Amino acid sequence: MQAQTFVFFGQVGSGKGTQVKLLADFLKEHDGRECVQTSTGNEYRRLLEGGNYIGTLVKDSVIRGELQPDFLTNAIVTNILTLSLSPEKHLIADGYPRTIMQSGTFEAMMKFFKREIVNVIYIEVGKEEAIKRMMLRARHDDTEEGIAKRFDEYENNVIPAMNYFKDKKGYTIYTINGEQTVENVHKEIIKKLGYS
């Protein structure tokens, strides 16, 4: 069986990062293959901690709850794939694409890397539940204003970025109920992907 490609979409606070890790662990156990993960959130946090010029520029937009520029996010993902992706490795995209423009770039990347089948996993969580979870985890950028802004960004940019893949050849969108326990969300993902 060839290596698989997965793209995760989910509102901030949907538990997406946790599910990405659980899926990567599951795949490693299932077939022993390595997973390449493009967690743009982690990459941006690394840039923030670098304390250099780009870190300052990124920090300003993070505080305002804005999405980062397409060119920068595309460059980060391109860099990860160029350095790490090979035919036998699974790919999990987390936090990318987040705009329609990025979706177009992602589609071109997948063509280039000969990834014809792409599983899009959408972890659906209601606004109230997501806000509750975000207030609990309290990261430095989780101000009420920042959270509200991120919801708007999500509705206006990220949902259209996911819908870009509807009816695209080779792309399947799986909607998962994200308001279950972590374990049950994972089970539903595995089941819908046809592993169980």
Side-chain angles (χ1 to χ4, degrees), residues 177-193:
N177 172 8
E179 297 199 10
Q180 313 173 78
T181 62
V182 168
E183 193 182 327
N184 285 345
V185 172
H186 175 63
K187 279 183 183 159
E188 189 182 334
I189 290 171
I190 296 306
K191 190 173 170 211
K192 284 199 171 159
L193 290 171

Side-chain angles (χ1 to χ4, degrees), residues 1-4 24-36 86-90 115:
M1 193 171 112
Q2 67 187 130
Q4 300 277 308
D25 293 346
F26 170 84
L27 292 168
K28 185 98 178 117
E29 215 167 273
H30 180 72
D31 60 16
R33 292 173 190 255
E34 211 181 306
C35 262
V36 174
S86 57
E88 69 284 351
K89 291 178 184 173
H90 295 303
R115 300 267 166 163

Side-chain angles (χ1 to χ4, degrees), residues 76-144:
I76 286 172
V77 174
T78 303
N79 191 37
I80 294 169
L81 298 186
T82 308
L83 293 174
S84 311
L85 195 59
S86 57
E88 69 284 351
K89 291 178 184 173
H90 295 303
L91 170 63
I92 303 180
D94 168 17
Y96 179 87
R98 289 180 75 82
T99 64
I100 289 174
M101 189 263 188
Q102 289 175 20
S103 293
T105 303
F106 179 79
E107 188 185 13
M109 288 175 183
M110 293 306 99
K111 275 200 181 102
F112 177 80
F113 286 106
K114 297 181 172 28
R115 300 267 166 163
E116 279 145 25
I117 305 293
V118 179
N119 304 290
V120 178
I121 298 163
Y122 172 44
I123 302 177
E124 197 172 32
V125 169
K127 190 169 181 174
E128 281 174 29
E129 177 65 19
I131 287 180
K132 198 171 80 187
R133 291 179 185 186
M134 284 165 73
M135 289 317 225
L136 283 172
R137 71 174 196 181
R139 279 217 301 252
H140 67 87
D141 52 336
D142 288 343
T143 60
E144 278 193 48

